[in-house]
Amino acid sequence: QVQLVESGGGLVQAGGSLRLSCAASGRTNSIHDMGWFRQAPGKEREFVAAIGWSGDSTYYGDSVKGRFAISRDNAKKAVYLQMNSLKPEDTAVYYCAAGGVGAGTQGMDYWGKGTLVTVSS
């Protein structure tokens, strides 16, 4: 059993920045890949970013590449998402996700309950 809890969401102005955090607990030894997804009302869940165990492999969705940065701290069992140059279309519930080795962007096994990010124009 792995639990993921997101934090850091809130209301920001377009062009602003926000940092999301995700804390993992439980059987965290099974976690290798971690990432972030988001879902806006009426839309499907969208891949945002992912990171490998050592942090040397990162992946980003096309819509956020160059603006967002994912990082992790295994000692703290945490993953972060730094969001810069935010746009209104970034408004969504952001979910932290985790999976085993090689999970990639489509093999995540564990999910947090989400944190809401609202970007005003």
Side-chain angles (χ1 to χ4, degrees):
Q1 185 71 26
V2 173
Q3 295 81 42
L4 302 174
V5 180
E6 305 94 337
S7 62
L11 175 64
V12 298
Q13 296 183 138
S17 299
L18 200 65
R19 186 185 70 180
L20 304 183
S21 299
C22 174
S25 61
R27 299 182 64 184
T28 56
N29 61 316
S30 65
I31 294 175
H32 293 275
D33 295 348
M34 298 190 76
W36 292 91
F37 294 73
R38 67 187 183 186
Q39 187 169 26
K43 297 183 178 180
E44 295 184 350
R45 185 169 294 185
E46 175 189 16
F47 168 71
V48 175
I51 187 168
W53 173 255
S54 66
D56 59 354
S57 298
T58 58
Y59 309 87
Y60 296 93
D62 291 339
S63 63
V64 306
K65 192 172 184 178
R67 298 189 297 121
F68 292 9
I70 188 171
S71 61
R72 69 189 296 169
D73 186 336
N74 291 339
K76 296 182 178 180
K77 300 179 180 180
V79 63
Y80 309 94
L81 184 68
Q82 178 65 45
M83 304 183 293
N84 299 319
S85 301
L86 284 163
K87 305 174 181 179
E89 48 263 47
D90 293 320
T91 296
V93 175
Y94 283 70
Y95 297 90
C96 178
V101 62
T105 61
Q106 299 183 347
M108 299 296 184
D109 299 314
Y110 311 106
W111 296 84
K113 294 183 178 180
T115 185
L116 178 63
V117 173
T118 302
V119 184
S120 64
S121 60

